Amino acid sequence: MGSAEKQMRARLVTLIIDDDELFCDVVKEHLEDEGIDVMMAHRGVDGLKLCAEQKVDVVLLDENLPDIKGHALCPSIREANERCKIVFVTAQPSFNVAVKALRAGADDYLSKPVELEQLSVVVQRALRTLALERDAGVARFQGEQESRRAVLVGASSASEQQKTFVELAAQADAPVLITGETGTGKSVTARAIHYRSARAERSFLEINCAALPEQLIESELFGHSKGAFTGATARRRGLFEVADGGTLLLDEIGEMPLNLQTKLLSVLEDGRFRRVGSENDKTTDVRVIAATNKPIDSLLGEALRSDLYYRLSVLRFEVLPLRSRPEDIGPFCAHILASLGKDLRLGEGELERLSKYHWPGNVRELRNILERAAILQPGPLIYPSNFLLNLTPTLEKSGEEDVQQEKGVETLREMERQHIERALGVFDWNYSQTARALEIALSTLKRKLKSYGLVRPKRTARAAGAYSSGAAGTAGRGAPYEI
Amino acid sequence: MTRSKPSILIAEDNVLLRECLRELIEDDLGLDVVGEAANGEEAIALTKKHRPDLVLMDLELPVISGFEATETIVESVPESAIIAISMHHDSSVQRRALEAGAAVFVVKDGPEEELLETIMRVHDEASRGSQSG
């Protein structure tokens, strides 16, 4: 046991409020033997004063005090010290009296004559409950931290529209469908809706429908009963049960098997569902937010049932790609750099350079290169665009090209070259993934690389490691992402 | 024809409430209290062992909650009818208890007579069900 823990244990305090002085002495001696500090009061008013002025963890409260009934004192004790645990002690126990005391705010109950062993059990249980509540407090704090991450960033009119939508959606309780390219912040939008809604105190859960094998999604969403299938050795609650009262984000909804879409529709209609392998209906109250990075038109009627789409899209919002709202890049940079916990700022001209970039990986890609710069550059001024430029060997420009660029016009060939370079950067120069993303054949990509004289840039071992993990985070499906 | 004495298991983590319930059920109803469980795990084990006619199940139990224990007992010992009890009046608690498979839900701070009447009613209904089945 560490010294801090010993100190914590030594500071556990029980207050006995009882006019029976002999009883108080016996209990005091017993609890002090267990390392618990004990205070005593023989009248209700004195006990209440101690509760208000001293640290008290557990109160042993006699029902028959000379100046007041124990259960009548209970609310005042609660008011004076809301976190202490109250144990009622009475010589006339009955079920209704016991329940009445517990209802008045007592946490536990003991009948006289008190067995010291039983007393220890009750006091230790009360102390354990206090410790659990402290843990719950920590969990709540972590939840608050989580809600702070659901911050909407941006200064563009598109961002303003997003904020307005989130506020409206938070006040409603209907399903929501969020569309947008990968990395635009669909998950953050969903979180923002949840944490501004009346459900904010309950769970926000998220599942990527593309990240799980088809046979596991149903059990993950709806749970299963014991023996429902091979490997189902115990009963398990699904996300729809766990998230009861909260919000569930179904990302990449178009990847959900069609038969499950029918089941999902049923939950959306009346909140009823069945665990896999169970014959009993269950009900749940979960708000569903669905998201997809695919154009709805390409999903509708094939990967996404039309009836489900109409049910999900009561409220629909498209998060625009970063390239169409370059004025948001500055606020995003400030927000991301602040979240990194270092005193970092963009170097001169950086914002302008970043604003001209195409950002195929959107905000996720922006975060990626900022984190990379924060690791690899000394700061406090950082130059994240170097990581974009490193992938783009500077070409000698002709005078005519300079004139064209000054007028903001680039040749199609130059645009294609830059676009391919950027895509290669996003996929860490993985030719197959880049070709797939560009929707061209691998052989076509290689021919164009040769034509443009593009070669994979050399990297230091340290830079290569950081670059590699960053690129995986950019391209990987379901990669962790927070704005 | 003589009816055998109905058996009941009490699952309640508060020792005083448990004792009060035993006294109430034995003295006022004359039922056979076959066991007392202080947590959900014990409730499941004792129900499987004694297979009582009734289980009085507190929903706020440690180790395994009364909800979970109810679900398990309904699956593994379906002949034991479960009476769920709780300090909570919320309809959601009542709903969850019934969904878990409890025959009935009773709040703890109602009149003692109401609890006793409910216990006997559930027993009678369960007996009729098993006789007709």
Side-chain angles (χ1 to χ4, degrees):
Chain A
M1 188 190 297
S3 61
E5 201 177 335
K6 274 181 190 164
Q7 220 172 11
M8 284 292 285
R9 282 186 66 86
R11 287 175 55 236
L12 297 173
V13 181
T14 290
L15 167 66
I16 312 167
I17 308 177
D18 197 314
D19 60 337
D20 183 342
E21 293 186 19
L22 180 62
F23 173 77
C24 288
D25 289 340
V26 171
V27 171
K28 181 176 182 344
E29 191 180 335
H30 179 74
L31 291 180
E32 283 181 344
D33 283 348
E34 295 194 347
I36 298 169
D37 291 352
V38 176
M39 293 188 293
M40 298 186 294
H42 302 308
R43 293 190 313 151
V45 65
D46 299 332
L48 187 59
K49 193 162 181 283
L50 282 172
C51 278
E53 294 173 356
Q54 307 277 331
K55 174 191 184 297
V56 176
D57 297 302
V58 179
V59 179
L60 293 176
L61 179 62
D62 185 37
E63 170 67 357
N64 293 313
L65 294 169
D67 54 344
I68 190 170
K69 285 283 179 191
H71 74 264
L73 187 64
C74 204
S76 305
I77 293 177
R78 276 264 161 271
E79 204 174 310
N81 184 339
E82 62 179 18
R83 59 175 289 281
C84 74
K85 297 292 156 202
I86 303 172
V87 179
F88 255 72
V89 186
T90 183
Q92 294 100 27
S94 81
F95 181 68
N96 269 1
V97 170
V99 168
K100 188 175 164 190
L102 296 174
R103 174 61 76 189
D107 298 282
D108 216 329
Y109 201 102
L110 277 172
S111 59
K112 283 183 176 175
V114 173
E115 287 179 24
L116 291 176
E117 198 177 316
Q118 183 59 38
L119 174 80
S120 294
V121 169
V122 169
V123 171
Q124 291 297 346
R125 183 162 58 200
L127 293 172
R128 217 167 32 245
T129 307
L130 271 179
L132 287 172
E133 285 175 356
R134 268 197 299 273
D135 290 348
V138 171
R140 200 159 45 245
F141 173 76
Q142 286 168 341
E144 284 165 9
Q145 296 290 94
E146 164 94 352
S147 69
R148 281 197 198 106
R149 287 204 291 266
V151 172
L152 297 174
V153 177
S156 66
S157 61
S159 295
E160 289 306 315
Q161 284 177 14
Q162 184 185 22
K163 288 171 191 169
T164 305
F165 174 81
V166 163
E167 293 303 330
L168 291 173
Q171 287 165 32
D173 204 35
V176 179
L177 178 63
I178 303 172
T179 56
E181 288 181 12
T182 183
T184 46
K186 297 184 290 297
S187 171
V188 173
T189 308
R191 279 170 201 272
I193 292 170
H194 170 77
Y195 285 111
R196 284 163 180 74
S197 75
R199 296 171 178 267
E201 296 293 314
R202 308 302 286 268
S203 305
F204 174 88
L205 299 179
E206 181 175 357
I207 182 173
N208 185 329
C209 300
L212 283 176
E214 185 175 331
Q215 62 271 25
L216 281 186
I217 299 180
E218 183 173 14
S219 147
E220 194 69 21
L221 284 175
F222 302 106
H224 60 74
S225 55
K226 189 176 175 181
F229 50 80
T230 309
T233 52
R235 192 177 57 242
R236 188 180 170 194
R237 298 166 76 205
L239 293 178
F240 269 104
E241 274 179 85
V242 178
D244 193 13
T247 305
L248 179 60
L249 170 62
L250 302 173
D251 200 5
E252 302 209 30
I253 185 73
E255 302 292 329
M256 180 181 280
L258 287 171
N259 63 318
L260 282 192
Q261 291 186 22
T262 313
K263 202 165 172 176
L264 173 60
L265 189 61
S266 164
V267 186
L268 289 171
E269 292 294 340
D270 57 11
R272 301 189 79 80
F273 69 97
R274 278 184 190 183
R275 286 179 182 168
V276 178
S278 170
E279 293 179 351
N280 301 319
D281 276 357
K282 287 186 162 291
T283 55
T284 187
D285 171 28
V286 172
R287 182 183 202 181
V288 171
I289 300 181
T292 177
N293 58 16
K294 307 240 173 25
I296 286 296
D297 292 347
S298 71
L299 298 176
L300 209 51
E302 293 182 16
L304 183 63
R305 288 176 58 108
S306 304
D307 45 8
L308 179 61
Y309 165 72
Y310 292 122
R311 192 73 189 86
L312 284 174
S313 59
V314 176
L315 297 169
R316 185 177 158 184
F317 187 77
E318 178 167 10
V319 188
L320 293 179
L322 194 54
R323 64 181 167 279
S324 66
R325 43 183 175 128
E327 60 270 47
D328 285 344
I329 291 175
F332 270 125
C333 287
H335 181 76
I336 293 167
L337 290 177
S339 75
L340 296 178
K342 297 179 185 174
D343 182 23
L344 298 172
R345 297 185 303 282
L346 292 180
E348 194 181 340
E350 273 300 285
L351 184 56
E352 193 183 350
R353 281 188 282 277
L354 294 176
S355 299
K356 286 180 178 169
Y357 182 57
H358 183 60
W359 298 112
N362 290 295
V363 187
R364 185 179 295 154
E365 186 185 5
L366 176 61
R367 171 177 276 277
N368 216 324
I369 68 149
L370 288 172
E371 287 180 352
R372 210 178 306 164
I375 293 167
L376 298 176
Q377 297 178 348
L381 293 179
I382 58 167
Y383 297 86
S385 72
N386 285 358
F387 295 99
L388 304 173
L389 296 173
N390 279 350
L391 303 173
T392 314
T394 310
L395 294 177
E396 289 295 325
K397 295 190 185 85
S398 67
E400 193 179 335
E401 277 177 331
D402 283 345
V403 173
Q404 284 175 336
Q405 290 214 342
E406 276 172 23
K407 290 181 179 174
V409 177
E410 286 178 301
T411 64
L412 279 174
R413 182 177 161 78
E414 175 58 16
M415 282 187 69
E416 183 181 69
R417 185 189 66 77
Q418 288 183 12
H419 187 63
I420 290 173
E421 280 178 1
R422 284 164 190 158
L424 284 164
V426 170
F427 294 105
D428 195 19
W429 284 76
N430 180 310
Y431 294 153
S432 304
Q433 287 182 6
T434 306
R436 211 174 301 132
L438 293 173
E439 296 185 351
I440 59 175
L442 184 59
S443 58
T444 308
L445 176 66
K446 287 184 175 171
R447 185 164 43 77
K448 286 181 184 291
L449 295 182
K450 197 173 175 184
S451 156
Y452 291 128
L454 291 173
V455 289
R456 182 194 295 265
K458 288 180 181 170
R459 289 169 274 150
T460 63
R462 185 174 171 225
Y467 181 87
S468 167
S469 67
T474 300
R477 172 175 269 175
Y481 164 60
E482 284 139 8
I483 293 177
Chain B
M1 191 175 83
T2 55
R3 255 177 78 179
S4 63
K5 205 171 171 183
S7 57
I8 187 166
L9 178 91
I10 300 170
E12 164 64 61
D13 63 328
N14 185 293
V15 64
L16 185 87
L17 291 188
R18 212 162 58 228
E19 285 170 6
C20 292
L21 282 169
R22 176 188 270 271
E23 195 178 303
L24 198 63
I25 290 167
E26 283 180 340
D27 293 355
D28 290 33
L29 295 180
L31 301 193
D32 179 17
V33 179
V34 293
E36 292 179 14
N39 62 54
E41 196 173 38
E42 282 180 18
I44 294 167
L46 289 174
T47 306
K48 285 180 178 171
K49 183 180 173 190
H50 297 294
R51 309 188 90 80
D53 299 313
L54 302 166
V55 178
L56 195 57
M57 178 74 76
D58 178 27
L59 294 172
E60 292 83 36
L61 288 179
V63 186
I64 293 176
S65 78
F67 297 104
E68 296 274 322
T70 298
E71 284 188 337
T72 304
I73 290 170
V74 166
E75 280 178 20
S76 53
V77 194
E79 68 267 31
S80 294
I82 295 177
I83 298 159
I85 56 172
S86 171
M87 292 288 269
H88 293 283
H89 287 240
D90 310 3
S91 59
S92 63
V93 174
Q94 180 173 358
R95 190 196 76 206
R96 281 182 64 201
L98 298 178
E99 280 178 3
V104 69
F105 171 89
V106 187
V107 287
K108 283 184 189 172
D109 56 354
E112 286 175 0
E113 297 71 30
E114 187 180 318
L115 176 66
L116 297 177
E117 280 168 19
T118 305
I119 291 172
M120 290 318 293
R121 180 166 53 78
V122 171
H123 175 257
D124 290 345
E125 284 170 5
S127 303
R128 274 200 300 275
S130 64
Q131 280 163 15
S132 64

